[in-house]
Each structure stands twice: as C-alpha cells, then as structure tokens.
Amino acid sequence: MKKIKYFIALAGISLLTQSCANDLNTLPEGNISGEQLNEDQSKPEKILGGIYLDLRSNGAGGTTVHSDFGIMGIKAGADLMSNDVIQSTNQHLGMFYNYEATNASNIASEIVWTTFYARIFVINKLLDDLKNDTGTKNRAIKGQLLALRAYSYFHLIRFYANDYKNHQSDPGLPLVLTSSNPSQGLPRSTVAEVYAQITQDIEESITLLDSFARSSRAQIDQRTAKAIAADVFLQTGDYTKAAKYAQESKQGIALMTENDYTTTGFSNINNPEVIWGFHNTTATMSIGNYYASFFSMFDNTNEGYAGAAQIRKLIDKRLYEAIPDTDYRKKVFNGSQNAQYTFNGKTKNYPAYVSWKFKDPTLFEGDYIYIRASSLYYIEAEALARQGREAEARQVLFDITSKRNVTYTLSTKSGNDLINEIILQKRIELWGEGYAWFDMKRLNVPLERVYTGTNHTFGRFNLAPDKFKFQIPNKEINNNPQIKQNE
C-alpha cells in the first residue's frame, strides 16, 4: 500500500495524523507523521476544527495557486460558470468563467477534486476511530463529520457527473467510506449510489445533532444539516423532504435588513441570516496568502485582485435589468454607465454592471458565509410548487421578496411560470453565492452569453447543459486504474 500524507492546519499549529491509503489519489501530498487519536481524548475535536479551517484556507485543493481557497473558491468558481456572473479579464478564477476548468489537465479540476476528497479521507479516519464511542461529545462530532462528508460528496457529484434526474445509472464517483481502501483504488459508483450515501449521511447527521449546541457558526449544527439536506433533496426530486427541511432550517431566523444587504452584511458572520460560515481573523488569513481569498477575488472595492488589479466581477446585463428599481438588491450593482462609488472612505470609478455586493472593510479578513437562510426560502418555494402546493409556494416567495422590494405583490402565477419566478428571484438574491450554475445544470438551462447587447467578456460563447461536467483530474486517472474518465 502506498503511504499518503496529509496536512491539517489549525490556528497556526499542525495537527498531524497518519494512515495508509492507496493509489486512489484523493489526498494532497505533504509531510505526514503524527499520533494516534487514543493518545489524546481531545484530538477528534481538534482535528474536526482543523477540517473546518482547511475548508476556508489557501491550499485546500493541494496547490499554491491563488484560486485555491476552499469552499468559497469553489462556490465562486461555480457561479462564474453560470449566465449571471462575469469576470472582466482572464486571470485566476477566469479558468472557470471560460470553462477551461472542466478539462482534466486544468488545475481547477484538481482543486475541486482534492479539496473535498482530502477532507473525506480525514473524515473517514475519524469516523472509523469513533465508531464504537457513543458519548455525547463524540456523538456531536460524528454528526458534524457525516454532514461534512455529505456536503463534500454533494459538491463533487455535481461537478464530475451528470445531473441526478434521468442519469441515476450513470457513472458517479469513487465512494470512499473508510480509511482502509483497496490498494488499487476504487471504481466509480453510480450517480444513484452516491446520492443514496449523501442522503443517508445527512439524515443520520440530523439525528445525531439533535441536542448539539454549537459554540460558533463555523460548526455544523442540526439547523445547518437540515439546510444541506434541503438542497440535496431538491436535487434528487424528493420535494416533500426538501420543503420540510428548508422550512425547519429557516424557522426563527430573521432576514437581513436593507442596511445589512447593501453595506457589509456579506462579510460579517453576525449577519442574522448566517446559518453556516467562518469568522476570519488576522491569524486565519495568514494561513496561505491574503490575496488567495474570496474578498480579494470578489470585492471590487478592496485592494485585491478584483479591486486593485481590476479583475472585476460583474452582473449579467439581462439579470440586472430584471431587477425592479424598487428592489434594494439592485443597489449593490452598478447600472449601464460608468459610475463613482464610495466605500470605506474611498471613492473610485467603476465600470458598468460592476458588483458592490461583497464589501469587506478590512484587508481580506471578512467573514465567509457558506449558507444563508434566504436560500431556503427558494428551496421551500420551489419544492412546494412542484408538489402542486402553489398557494403555499407563492406565500413563501412573498415572505422574502416583499422584504427586498416594498412594491412586490403576492404572485398569481402557476405551473412553470411560478417555478420560473422563484428561480429568477433566487438568482437575484443569491448572485455570487454559489447556486446559479448548479441550478442551471439541475434545470437543464443552457449557457447563453451571446446575445444582442451582451456584456460578457472573454467567455463569450453558448453551451448546452451536457457540457456542464468536469473531467476527472489527470492525477486521479493516472493513479487509479479502476476509474474511467468522463468523455
């Protein structure tokens, strides 16, 4: 068996653990040595903390490139593959925008693959070691681990396989569920088998986290697990469970105010809508590179790649024009003309359709938001509508849209028109937050960037949804003889 080495960073110190793995090359290589879990009863909790930290850090995907910064980098990259988010020049995350990321030889494919499989390996090792421990503390740790594994596979399957609908028997992913694997790697399980594991993990997580009171929004609690479950079941078409979990997860959470939305609410984990995120500090941002971070890439007002280097992020012209002037969400985007904008004491000139949504008043130390309660309104509304419960769906849609647009009235639409209204509002609300491309793939919506008056840039082309699939990285293909490449 080939010894695979991995690294987990935690608050500036190294927590090292050791294991044997195989040529299924899902782990980043590094210097490994370490202690066994039973030497330190607090080690499971520390390693779990390290996983959370890894998932927001530069190098999570095993590289040193500045596009490699964990969950936020992958969510940003996915949105850049949609119709709605534009990058002005071809640098850094531009490989997603121009679809080079889908190629096996492109580093983006390796980043996505390694970010999640590296964590899955550590999760499996910890789950194996906690298998017979039913104590309250480790019950909560197991619940978080299962939710993280479900979340990881959920992202992987949507990148590297066809959509669930009508493709259940298609090749999915190597389903690694233990730290002891065959020496020659694993073949790809089917799409249905992968989703069955995801749903099993996330529902077991919900049960295990029933009494867990987290100390930080960086941790996954039962509310977070239900939010993940809602998204998963929407994907698989189990609309009853999708609506149920979405409603339960958002229950009791206040929506962010106009001031939150239009100023610095997207860089603050204390935003009332935050269900899961990460509180960044000077210490956490020092891991890797300041410039390899979300706000460097997406905050056009800051001094990073988007701001100082002017690798701007823009909104698609059509989507901007679909936002009513009475909707305050329109305020976080520039209109059709160049304009000045003042933030954090600095006034700068900006191009048409530039985004001012993500603003960080610090030097890239803004908090990361992974899941907001807003997303659950659209999941619940769509799931209700698809069950034929259209009156309930309209009310859920009204509950959020009327908060953003004081002139919005209860929808009278039905059927596909109602679904389309829900999806449009979702695209407006969650622009740049990692939902649009996944929804396009799920709903079989093509990429259409060539149109009269388009403001798309170097990625100006149209694609059918069957092109929305990443090839498995060459590193994995070369090291695992049982795996077959996507065509």
Side-chain angles (χ1 to χ4, degrees):
M1 299 175 73
K2 178 181 177 181
K3 183 172 288 188
I4 300 294
K5 300 179 176 182
Y6 58 91
F7 172 77
I8 304 174
L10 174 58
I13 64 174
S14 296
L15 292 172
L16 302 172
T17 184
Q18 181 177 7
S19 181
C20 289
N22 53 40
D23 288 337
L24 180 66
N25 224 342
T26 54
L27 303 174
E29 295 180 358
N31 293 324
I32 309 295
S33 60
E35 310 142 319
Q36 299 302 316
L37 292 176
N38 58 14
E39 292 178 5
D40 180 356
Q41 293 303 307
S42 67
K43 190 174 292 293
E45 194 168 24
K46 291 178 181 177
I47 294 176
L48 175 59
I51 295 170
Y52 284 126
L53 184 58
D54 255 5
L55 285 170
R56 52 81 41 228
S57 297
N58 178 218
T63 79
T64 59
V65 301
H66 288 186
S67 298
D68 179 0
F69 50 95
I71 290 173
M72 292 299 286
I74 290 169
K75 287 166 73 73
D79 252 15
L80 280 165
M81 298 179 75
S82 74
N83 283 319
D84 298 340
V85 184
I86 299 171
Q87 182 160 305
S88 61
T89 56
N90 190 8
Q91 298 182 52
H92 299 295
L93 291 171
M95 57 195 170
F96 288 94
Y97 181 64
N98 68 6
Y99 275 71
E100 290 179 1
T102 62
N103 298 326
S105 59
N106 191 275
I107 199 168
S109 182
E110 184 177 329
I111 288 170
V112 176
W113 186 270
T114 303
T115 293
F116 292 115
Y117 267 117
R119 265 69 283 157
I120 287 168
F121 183 88
V122 181
I123 288 165
N124 288 341
K125 176 68 170 73
L126 206 46
L127 285 171
D128 287 347
D129 288 326
L130 295 175
K131 191 171 295 182
N132 298 319
D133 192 324
T134 58
T136 301
K137 178 180 175 182
N138 285 339
R139 174 185 169 90
I141 291 174
K142 182 179 179 182
Q144 293 173 75
L145 291 168
L146 288 171
L148 283 166
R149 189 167 72 180
Y151 186 80
S152 298
Y153 273 124
F154 185 45
H155 274 76
L156 286 166
I157 194 70
R158 291 184 293 169
F159 274 104
Y160 295 98
N162 289 321
D163 181 58
Y164 182 86
K165 186 178 180 181
N166 299 323
H167 297 287
Q168 290 95 323
S169 61
D170 288 2
L173 299 165
L175 205 50
V176 187
L177 302 174
T178 175
S179 56
S180 300
N181 297 311
S183 60
Q184 294 303 310
L186 296 173
R188 297 172 71 174
S189 297
T190 67
V191 168
E193 288 168 338
V194 175
Y195 271 102
Q197 186 64 48
I198 292 169
T199 56
Q200 177 182 317
D201 280 353
I202 198 62
E203 292 202 292
E204 184 177 354
S205 168
I206 290 169
T207 299
L208 290 171
L209 294 171
D210 59 352
S211 60
F212 173 56
R214 64 184 177 182
S215 58
S216 164
R217 291 185 185 182
Q219 298 169 299
I220 291 177
D221 62 358
Q222 189 182 63
R223 185 189 293 276
T224 310
K226 287 181 176 181
I228 296 169
D231 213 359
V232 169
F233 285 114
L234 184 70
Q235 189 82 30
T236 62
D238 188 337
Y239 300 121
T240 300
K241 284 188 175 181
K244 172 182 181 291
Y245 284 128
Q247 192 279 329
E248 291 177 358
S249 181
K250 68 181 177 63
Q251 184 71 30
I253 296 183
L255 290 170
M256 60 199 301
T257 64
E258 178 177 353
N259 185 63
D260 290 327
Y261 203 101
T262 58
T263 57
T264 59
F266 292 100
S267 62
N268 187 350
I269 202 167
N270 293 318
N271 173 334
E273 282 192 31
V274 175
I275 288 178
W276 184 33
F278 195 95
H279 175 51
N280 283 315
T281 64
T282 302
T284 59
M285 289 307 298
S286 67
I287 300 169
N289 189 295
Y290 277 85
Y291 291 95
S293 63
F294 178 74
F295 290 102
S296 171
M297 299 288 182
F298 263 67
D299 180 0
N300 291 303
T301 72
N302 214 317
E303 301 308 317
Y305 287 120
Q310 298 188 7
I311 308 173
R312 305 292 196 191
K313 303 302 181 292
L314 317 171
I315 185 173
D316 173 77
K317 175 185 176 181
R318 297 163 299 185
L319 183 60
Y320 176 81
E321 292 175 348
I323 308 173
D325 291 340
T326 52
D327 189 325
Y328 67 67
R329 294 174 296 188
K330 198 165 190 171
K331 294 181 180 180
V332 299
F333 301 106
N334 190 20
S336 61
Q337 304 296 319
N338 293 353
Q340 288 190 333
Y341 186 80
T342 301
F343 174 70
N344 216 21
K346 297 178 182 179
T347 300
K348 298 181 181 180
N349 296 315
Y350 292 93
Y353 303 111
V354 76
S355 164
W356 298 312
K357 180 176 179 177
F358 304 105
K359 298 186 289 291
D360 174 17
T362 72
L363 185 63
F364 317 138
E365 294 167 22
D367 298 334
Y368 286 170
I369 298 174
Y370 301 148
I371 300 176
R372 281 197 297 131
S374 287
S375 65
L376 300 166
Y377 282 80
Y378 305 104
I379 293 173
E380 183 183 9
E382 182 183 346
L384 289 169
R386 292 192 185 278
Q387 293 178 69
R389 298 162 63 181
E390 292 187 338
E392 295 170 80
R394 294 185 197 102
Q395 184 61 50
V396 172
L397 183 62
F398 178 82
D399 289 343
I400 184 168
T401 311
S402 62
K403 295 293 191 297
R404 309 305 193 211
N405 177 7
V406 294
T407 67
Y408 182 79
T409 57
L410 187 71
S411 177
T412 58
K413 295 177 180 177
S414 61
N416 287 334
D417 289 340
L418 177 57
I419 297 292
N420 290 338
E421 183 180 3
I422 293 166
I423 297 301
L424 174 61
Q425 291 297 330
K426 185 178 184 181
R427 289 166 59 202
I428 295 168
E429 176 73 28
L430 300 173
W431 183 94
E433 296 182 57
Y435 291 86
W437 183 68
F438 293 128
D439 275 345
M440 286 173 61
K441 188 170 182 177
R442 176 174 64 88
L443 299 169
N444 201 37
V445 174
L447 186 77
E448 294 180 342
R449 294 174 175 171
V450 180
Y451 59 89
T452 302
T454 182
N455 64 321
H456 281 269
T457 55
F458 60 93
R460 191 175 291 180
F461 46 75
N462 297 341
L463 289 176
D466 61 2
K467 303 298 183 184
F468 297 177
K469 182 169 60 177
F470 278 45
Q471 288 187 316
I472 294 168
N474 284 335
K475 184 177 180 181
E476 178 69 19
I477 295 296
N478 294 337
N479 288 324
N480 182 358
Q482 297 201 60
I483 199 167
K484 292 184 179 181
Q485 181 61 277
N486 288 325
E487 296 180 358

